[in-house]
Amino acid sequence: MKQLSQKAHAAAFHAEFFGNTTQKRYVLGINEFADAVVNKAKLDGFIDEYTTATQYRGIPIVKLGDVPAGSMVISTVTQARPKTAMDKLMRLNGVVSMDYFAVADASHFQLPQVAALSDTQKEYAAHPEKFEWVRDLFADQESREVFNRVMEFRLNANLRAMRFFDYTADQQYFEPFVKFAPGEVFVDGGGFDGYTTEEFIARCPEYKSVHFFEPTDKTLNTAKSKLAVHRDIKFHPLGLFDSKQTLSFDASSGSACKISETGSVKIDVDSLDNCVTESVSFIKLDLEGAEPKALQGMKWHIQEDHPKLAVAVYHDPAHFWQVPEIILGVRNDYKVYLRHYTEGWTETVMFFIPA
C-alpha cells in the first residue's frame, strides 16, 4: 500500500506540475534532467545555491530562500545527495516538492528516467534469477538489507528506500570486515587523485607496497604529488582491463565513461596479470564501468593470491551479478558483502573477503 500511495502521489504531482496550474513552478538543479523538465513545462525559475549566474535558458536562477510559498518544485539532484536536496525543499513553508525519479516514473516515458534506474529495470526484467542468486550470496543481514533497499530505489523509483543511507564516501572500501596485516600489497585500480591510497596507508602503515593505476596524466600527476611523502608506491599510467590495448571513451554525462569507436578520450589499458608479478593482498576497483573486464585480466592473481577485493558495482546494473559470477568462478571460497555510500544511485561496493 505504501508503494501504491507513493506512486499515486507522484502521478498527482506530475499531472498538476505539467498541467494548467496557477502555482509557480521551479526546478532545483541545472542539468540534463532540468532541461527535460523545462522542455515540457513553463518554469518560473531554476534553484541553484552554488552559481553566480542569474539566468539559465532565459529563465531566472534563484536561491532556496527566494522560492515563494505555494510553489511546486522538482528536485533534479540525482547522484550523491538527492535525499539532502529533498530535505531542504521540505523545510520550505508552503512549498510542494517531488524528486525527479518519481516524477519521471509518473510521466510514463515523457521524461527520461535516470539511466541507473531505467537500466536496472530492464536488466532485472531480463535476468531476475541472477539478482535472486546474488541476494542469497551475502554473508550478513546488513548486505541483504543494503541490496533490497538499493533495488527498491532502482526498480520502483522510490527515493524513500534510501532514507537509511547518508553520504559516507570517506568510509568507502574500508569496512570492519576488511582487515589488514603488516606486509599488505594494495592495488588501487582507478586511483584517481590518491585519496583511497592515503586512506589505505593510514589504516595499514606497515604495508609492503602499493600499485596505483590511473590512466589520465593530469589526475596521475595530482596523485603523485599527494602521495610523494609515502614509500613504495608504483605508479602505472594505465587503466585496468583484460589485455593491453588503447581504448576510446565517450566522457559524456551519466554514470560512467562509455567505450566508443569515436570517443574523444583515449587511454592505455592493460591487465593486472600482465603488469604486476608480486603477490597482492587487497584490490580495489572503481573503473567507470570496466570492472568486469579488469577482473577477467586478474584471474591469475585471484586464483594464486586469494586477495581481498572491493569492487564498485553501481556503474552498470548487470555488474551486481556479473562481478560475483566472475570472482566466484575463479575461487568460491569468499564471503561476499555489499555496502552503499551515498543517498542516491552512486557508490555501491561489493566486497569479497577470503573465507
Side-chain angles (χ1 to χ4, degrees), residues 25 27 39 49 57 63 113 179-180 191 249 285 299 336 341 345:
R25 293 175 284 195
V27 167
N39 288 340
E49 296 285 284
R57 294 184 57 164
K63 306 302 182 186
Q113 182 56 275
K179 301 184 184 301
F180 299 118
F249 279 82
L285 298 178
K299 286 185 174 181
V336 185
Y341 300 95
W345 61 267

Side-chain angles (χ1 to χ4, degrees), residues 65 92 280 353:
L92 298 178
V280 303
I353 306 301

